[in-house]
């Protein structure tokens, strides 16, 4: 499996797919990116006249790249059935706002992957390389969803 085929295996599609690209994956970390298009529906009502990406969407973006994509990569060849990683816990710090049309990069480092559970330290940076949020995410393998 190559990193280009991972996104096709995610159980998400527009308008709830927050992965534009995966640029690297190995046994210890994954790196991917997403650009928050200004036409996304949640911008219409989140801080009137000064839209900001909601923290829950930033968390979801980190989880899709840093947990779900990473889990699919790590599970390659291990599972015969359709599987994915379901988010089970988050501890996220929001450091800077993310505005419409900003591109972010998500970098996840594996803390552990065992017994069907994946725990990662995840960091999100904006295009200037500034940390916008970071945290610890955990999930577990779900079969046949």
């Amino acid at each position: 499996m190559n990193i280009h085929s991972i996104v096709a295996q995610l159980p998400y599609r527009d308008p709830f797919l927050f992965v534009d690209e995966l640029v690297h994956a190995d046994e210890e970390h994954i790196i991917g990116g997403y650009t928050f298009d200004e036409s996304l529906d949640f911008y219409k009502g989140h801080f009137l006249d000064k839209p900001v990406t909601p923290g829950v969407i930033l968390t979801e973006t980190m989880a899709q790249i840093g947990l779900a994509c990473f889990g699919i990569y790590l599970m390659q060849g291990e599972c015969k059935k359709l599987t994915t990683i379901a988010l089970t816990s988050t501890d996220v710090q929001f450091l800077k706002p993310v505005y419409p049309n900003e591109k972010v990069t998500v970098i996840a480092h594996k803390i552990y992957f065992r017994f069907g559970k994946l725990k990662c330290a995840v960091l999100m940076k904006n295009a200037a390389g500034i940390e916008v949020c970071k945290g610890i995410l955990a999930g577990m393998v779900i079969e046949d969803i």
Side-chain angles (χ1 to χ4, degrees):
M1 173 189 313
N2 65 44
I3 62 176
H4 302 292
S5 68
I6 292 171
V7 174
Q9 296 181 54
L10 289 171
Y12 320 108
R13 295 296 176 261
D14 284 332
F16 206 74
L17 176 64
F18 300 111
V19 182
D20 286 336
E21 64 179 349
L22 297 175
V23 295
H24 180 81
D26 62 36
E27 294 297 315
E28 298 302 319
H29 69 284
I30 193 166
I31 302 169
Y34 184 73
T35 300
F36 290 97
D37 188 277
E38 67 185 348
S39 68
L40 291 166
D41 201 46
F42 52 78
Y43 286 128
K44 293 176 186 173
H46 196 252
F47 292 99
L48 207 52
D49 299 324
K50 294 185 181 186
V52 176
T53 309
V56 67
I57 299 296
L58 298 177
T59 302
E60 180 65 26
T61 304
M62 292 193 311
Q64 286 187 18
I65 294 171
L67 204 64
C69 288
F70 198 14
I72 290 168
Y73 176 84
L74 293 172
M75 289 186 303
Q76 63 188 349
E78 290 184 19
C79 301
K80 304 285 189 255
K81 297 179 183 177
L82 176 64
T83 59
T84 193
I85 299 284
L87 184 67
T88 59
S89 68
T90 64
D91 181 8
V92 177
Q93 298 174 19
F94 302 99
L95 308 169
K96 300 276 184 192
V98 174
Y99 299 106
N101 296 320
E102 275 199 81
K103 179 179 180 176
V104 296
T105 299
V106 174
I107 305 158
H109 294 276
K110 179 177 70 176
I111 297 172
Y112 66 77
F113 181 53
R114 61 180 178 266
F115 307 117
K117 294 187 176 192
L118 176 60
K119 187 173 188 178
C120 297
V122 184
L123 171 68
M124 180 184 284
K125 294 182 179 185
N126 63 20
I130 299 169
E131 293 182 7
V132 295
C133 54
K134 62 183 178 179
I136 304 294
L137 303 179
M140 59 188 294
V141 173
I142 304 293
E143 295 183 6
D144 290 325
I145 63 169

